[in-house]
Amino acid sequence: MPETREKIIAANWKMNKTFHEGLALLVELNMLLESEPTQHTVVVAPPYIHLHSAGHAVTDTGIKIAAQNCHQEANGAFTGEVSASMLESVGVEFVILGHSERRQYFGETDELVAQKIKTAAAAGLKVIYCCGEPLEVRQEEKHFELVKQQITNALKDFQPGVLKDVVIAYEPVWAIGTGLTASPEQAQEMHAFIRETLKGIFGESIAKATPILYGGSMKPGNAKALLSQPDVDGGLIGGASLVAQDFFDIIHSFPA
Ligand code: PGA
């Protein structure tokens, strides 16, 4: 039943906000949430360097902290990289993996992301695994095929026990940061398809329990329609998460 699934709104700040700007954003968000709390899960993913202080800033607020990436190996000689257990050790609870910007600009493949998921899960982190098609793939009507591949390649080798710590984010690449959004019907269609794909690999109970978030230009004006879809369990928000009031308004856009 959809209503038993965890509902999650997650902020992906990407490479935005200096240290003080980031903390000010968290303080403002927290003040808004104190005035009007939510029963849903709120996650914020600042850049690595802010994570430790961000964790302190949200102590006792209910806001959870995510990283935007981690390395696939548990530790070792990988200059400049950050491991999953380091993240866990500073209070990070979630990590976003497989974001399309990581795939596009840093050459990350499904196989690499599968390794990262394994390492992150072993370190005790929950994973927000991103999938979604570029524009030309949708135009060729191969979007279902591609998303099925992304889900299957990255997740198929995991035991169902690991899946309880995985959240999926469907983010059509053509909608990220472009102002274009998937229509509520397009989002619902793909989310239902992802759930079917999960059912085929892991069975019905995992498929029903896994939250599937939508990402791609979600904002206060379109969040209600997207979040009202039965298989849309939340959002992964980029641009609109950089303004506390906008992010707060999205958090409060779930149907009552
Ligand atoms: P956007 O980004 O909301 O700015 O489109 C979403 C994302 O990339 O996670």
Side-chain angles (χ1 to χ4, degrees):
M1 299 297 286
E3 56 274 16
T4 61
R5 276 195 294 275
E6 186 179 10
K7 307 282 186 205
I8 302 170
I9 296 289
N12 177 8
W13 290 2
K14 309 190 179 183
M15 198 175 73
N16 292 295
K17 301 289 175 190
T18 63
F19 184 69
H20 293 291
E21 288 167 352
L23 287 188
L25 176 55
L26 279 178
V27 167
E28 199 185 340
L29 176 62
N30 191 39
M31 270 165 39
L32 290 166
L33 285 171
E34 265 173 8
S35 69
E36 205 180 318
T38 175
Q39 84 233 50
H40 304 306
T41 303
V42 177
V43 179
V44 177
Y48 279 144
I49 196 166
H50 306 353
L51 289 172
H52 185 229
S53 302
H56 280 287
V58 301
T59 309
D60 300 328
T61 66
I63 301 171
K64 297 176 189 303
I65 297 295
Q68 300 172 18
N69 184 28
C70 70
H71 196 266
Q72 62 272 23
E73 296 295 338
N75 51 56
F78 301 101
T79 301
E81 291 295 319
V82 174
S83 76
S85 57
M86 291 172 196
L87 297 173
E88 196 277 335
S89 73
V90 295
V92 170
E93 288 184 60
F94 287 81
V95 60
I96 299 170
L97 293 174
H99 191 280
S100 64
E101 287 150 18
R102 300 291 319 168
R103 295 176 188 267
Q104 189 178 345
Y105 304 127
F106 302 93
E108 295 196 6
T109 60
D110 292 340
E111 291 68 28
L112 177 78
V113 177
Q115 284 178 23
K116 291 188 176 201
I117 296 173
K118 189 169 171 208
T119 307
L125 297 177
K126 293 185 180 166
V127 170
I128 300 176
Y129 173 61
C130 303
C131 59
E133 79 288 353
L135 183 59
E136 58 281 9
V137 173
R138 182 163 279 261
Q139 283 167 341
E140 289 165 14
E141 298 184 4
K142 298 219 162 105
H143 44 295
F144 291 114
E145 203 178 303
L146 179 75
V147 169
K148 185 173 187 173
Q149 253 174 38
Q150 290 173 330
I151 298 278
T152 309
N153 291 346
L155 300 178
K156 67 177 185 326
D157 292 333
F158 294 110
Q159 296 299 318
V162 171
L163 261 287
K164 73 174 182 2
D165 290 327
V166 174
V167 172
I168 310 276
Y170 169 60
E171 300 205 304
V173 179
W174 47 272
I176 295 179
T178 58
L180 295 173
T181 320
S183 67
E185 295 72 25
Q186 284 172 322
Q188 169 56 27
E189 188 185 29
M190 183 59 89
H191 283 224
F193 175 78
I194 292 171
R195 212 174 292 293
E196 269 309 300
T197 305
L198 291 173
K199 186 174 159 190
I201 310 173
F202 300 106
E204 183 142 23
S205 68
I206 296 278
K208 275 191 171 170
T210 303
I212 305 177
L213 317 184
Y214 169 80
S217 300
M218 194 188 271
K219 18 183 197 290
N222 59 26
K224 254 197 184 81
L226 288 159
L227 296 173
S228 304
Q229 299 301 313
D231 286 293
V232 177
D233 306 308
L236 180 55
I237 326 295
S241 75
L242 300 174
V243 177
Q245 184 68 50
D246 287 355
F247 188 58
F248 171 80
D249 288 344
I250 295 173
I251 293 167
H252 282 289
S253 295
F254 283 105

